[in-house]
Amino acid sequence: MSNPLSAEVQTSPAQPAEAKLWGGRFTEATDALVEAFSESVSFDRRLWRQDIRGSQAHARMLQLIGVLSELELKAIIDGLDRIYCDIETGRFAWQTRLEDVHMNIESALTAQIGEAGKKLHTARSRNDQVATDLRLYVRDAIDELHATIDALAAALLELAEREADSVMPGFTHLQIAQPVTFGHHMLAWREMLLRDRARLLDARRRTNVLPLGSAALAGTIYPLERHYVAELLEFEAVSENSLDAVSDRDFAIEFCSACALLMVHLSRWSEELILWSGPMYGFVRLPDRFCTGSSIMPQKKNPDVPELVRGKTGRVIGDLQALLVLMKGQPLAYNRDNQEDKPPLFDAHDTALTCLQVLTAMLPAMEVDRAACRAAAAKGYATATDLADYLVGKGLPFRDAHHAVGAAVAFAVKRGCDLAELSLDELRGFSALIESDVFRHITLEASVSARRTYGGTSPVQVRAAIERARRAIPQ
């Protein structure tokens, strides 16, 4: 997928009504203010690849049903190929008086090949044309995001393997809870990504339905071969209802919803990276090339990449909100409001894509300070649950064990030491069941190693999860 074209859109004075491709019914030229207000080519020209592809498929179908001759079809296909090259190389002159991407391309085609170009729009409307273009665009966008998510997921897998044994604190309520491994934490991030990937692929299935052939809203009198067009454009199905087909933007909303949730996940990661890279935590060192400094404080190294990802999340959530509000009051069928569906759709795609790309580039170069992570895990009595579980193993009911360990923690807090730093006699003061083997159970390494349940944090389970993940990746 390419970014919006950098070529300038050419403006011009209001044209006589008959100069418009739809101007036969009108006796006045479009007001210049209205022309500037209503144009969409400044942003919808981004759909030019999809528009040309859809037009070529439509032309092939028109030839199949006898509307176009072989010579006319060849002229149209060749002409659209030339326009494709002109746009790709920046030679194409976009014109606001032609309103949108569709009219610009059709007008250029007719100027090149004459009467055959005027036949291309037979049996279609801009309503089903733009619906087709948008579905092609969203399908391409999903494929692009899918590939980028896979790259980031692979980077997380490598990082998880590298840090499978590295102990760090796990948090609830932002308070130290229990020890986990850094590798386990990275696999948690990866699980979020896998759900995002699945949501996008599921949305692709509903996107991949051909609306072309619905015309303005009621279908057409021509004997269209819609399934032939669907095959040419690689759509899995053909729309069942022409009214719905031209007015439906569920697929765009669903795509933006998936992008918004993806960005929420990236924002949560970013919040952790911002905390972890600061001196209060010191768990990770972000590469200098992904950070910036302060204009006044020489010592500063600011985590700008994760901060910007966190900030850009609001944009994508706003894009989703914009589409929902755009659609909420629209009666059937197509309404011009839907011109406004494209800026938020494009922005959601662009923002999610760039955030994925920059995190994919940054994470492999991030350094983990294992000593700092372990030192933090040693604070906050993170192995208290392990002591309670130890007592349960000695036959004490869990609630009684919980109470005894809570009292031991309170004692250690007053002493200013960790549970593992209490003497055996001191620990036995809270339960006579405690024996000398207790110290083998309340170290950080023992705590993480003991959590061997499927999906748990032990290095054995982390490596097993990595192996399962690698086997699941298509070769």
Side-chain angles (χ1 to χ4, degrees), residues 307-324:
E307 286 180 353
L308 283 169
V309 170
R310 187 177 61 181
K312 288 175 184 293
T313 298
R315 284 178 57 157
V316 180
I317 293 172
D319 293 331
L320 171 60
Q321 185 77 1
L323 282 179
L324 288 168

Side-chain angles (χ1 to χ4, degrees), residues 360-391:
T360 302
M362 185 184 74
L363 283 179
M366 181 179 73
E367 296 177 18
V368 178
D369 189 328
R370 295 166 185 161
C373 288
R374 192 188 186 287
K379 300 174 183 177
Y381 308 97
T383 60
T385 303
D386 298 277
L387 180 55
D389 289 336
Y390 169 85
L391 289 173

Side-chain angles (χ1 to χ4, degrees), residues 203-405:
R204 191 188 194 280
R205 180 173 57 84
R206 282 179 289 280
T207 299
N208 206 22
V209 177
L210 175 72
L212 199 61
S214 300
L217 76 162
T220 177
I221 64 169
Y222 296 92
L224 304 186
E225 293 287 348
R226 297 187 66 208
H227 288 86
Y228 172 68
V229 177
E231 184 179 345
L232 290 176
L233 295 175
E234 300 177 274
F235 282 102
E236 294 175 359
V238 171
S239 61
E240 293 286 339
N241 184 282
S242 59
L243 281 167
D244 177 65
V246 297
S247 58
D248 170 43
R249 294 297 182 270
D250 290 2
F251 65 94
I253 293 171
E254 192 171 0
F255 172 75
C256 284
S257 176
C259 287
L261 190 47
L262 165 64
M263 289 299 299
V264 166
H265 291 152
L266 300 187
S267 183
R268 292 179 68 188
W269 302 7
S270 295
E271 176 68 11
E272 292 190 319
L273 288 173
I274 292 162
L275 292 173
W276 292 356
S277 63
M280 299 297 288
Y281 284 75
F283 293 175
V284 299
R285 286 183 289 275
L286 302 180
D288 284 358
R289 63 186 180 277
F290 289 92
C291 300
T292 64
S294 165
S295 63
I296 188 172
M297 296 171 283
Q299 83 282 8
K300 291 294 295 297
K301 179 180 176 180
N302 298 326
D304 281 20
V305 165
E307 286 180 353
L308 283 169
V309 170
R310 187 177 61 181
K312 288 175 184 293
T313 298
R315 284 178 57 157
V316 180
I317 293 172
D319 293 331
L320 171 60
Q321 185 77 1
L323 282 179
L324 288 168
V325 174
L326 176 71
M327 294 303 300
K328 74 173 182 61
Q330 287 194 38
L332 292 174
Y334 180 83
N335 299 277
R336 188 66 180 268
D337 311 45
N338 285 344
Q339 177 174 299
E340 293 300 311
D341 59 7
K342 297 164 197 66
L345 175 64
F346 296 159
D347 184 68
H349 171 216
D350 290 344
T351 305
L353 180 65
T354 54
C355 289
L356 285 168
Q357 289 171 333
V358 73
L359 287 174
T360 302
M362 185 184 74
L363 283 179
M366 181 179 73
E367 296 177 18
V368 178
D369 189 328
R370 295 166 185 161
C373 288
R374 192 188 186 287
K379 300 174 183 177
Y381 308 97
T383 60
T385 303
D386 298 277
L387 180 55
D389 289 336
Y390 169 85
L391 289 173
V392 169
K394 297 289 186 177
L396 193 65
F398 179 77
R399 281 299 164 208
D400 293 338
H402 187 287
H403 183 79
V405 174

Side-chain angles (χ1 to χ4, degrees), residues 438-458:
V438 68
F439 296 105
R440 296 201 302 270
H441 295 269
I442 58 175
T443 66
L444 295 175
E445 285 73 20
S447 177
V448 295
S449 295
R451 282 159 174 78
R452 295 193 182 94
T453 50
Y454 189 98
T457 193
S458 75

Side-chain angles (χ1 to χ4, degrees), residues 51-201:
D51 195 69
I52 288 175
R53 186 180 179 193
S55 290
Q56 289 182 327
H58 184 67
R60 294 184 194 280
M61 187 272 297
L62 291 179
Q63 189 275 325
L64 183 68
I65 65 172
V67 173
L68 296 176
S69 69
E70 286 280 2
L71 286 176
E72 288 171 328
L73 174 62
K74 185 178 188 309
I76 289 171
I77 297 297
D78 291 347
L80 288 172
D81 283 342
R82 287 191 294 272
I83 290 170
Y84 189 105
C85 291
D86 286 345
I87 296 174
E88 195 166 47
T89 56
R91 296 195 303 267
F92 191 84
W94 298 96
Q95 301 181 64
T96 57
R97 70 178 181 82
L98 294 172
E99 300 176 12
D100 56 33
V101 60
H102 322 294
M103 292 299 196
N104 267 266
I105 290 175
E106 183 181 330
S107 179
L109 178 66
T110 301
Q112 277 192 28
I113 68 173
E115 292 297 309
K118 296 179 183 180
K119 293 185 177 183
L120 176 60
H121 206 57
T122 305
R124 77 174 179 184
S125 162
R126 279 188 294 178
N127 296 355
D128 62 341
Q129 186 178 0
V130 69
T132 302
D133 290 358
L134 274 181
R135 284 177 181 268
L136 288 170
Y137 177 88
V138 170
R139 197 176 70 184
D140 291 344
I142 288 172
D143 291 345
E144 186 172 41
L145 287 175
H146 174 201
T148 314
I149 286 173
D150 282 352
L152 182 51
L156 286 172
L157 211 56
E158 293 297 322
L159 185 54
E161 185 169 45
R162 196 174 80 206
E163 305 298 337
D165 295 291
S166 303
V167 176
M168 68 173 292
F171 298 89
T172 61
H173 310 278
L174 265 185
Q175 305 297 307
I176 293 175
Q178 291 179 288
V180 296
T181 58
F182 199 96
H184 190 59
H185 201 112
M186 293 302 98
L187 291 181
W189 286 5
R190 186 174 180 273
E191 286 298 309
M192 299 180 196
L193 266 191
L194 295 182
R195 292 194 297 273
D196 294 320
R197 180 182 185 270
R199 264 184 290 272
L200 283 165
L201 292 179

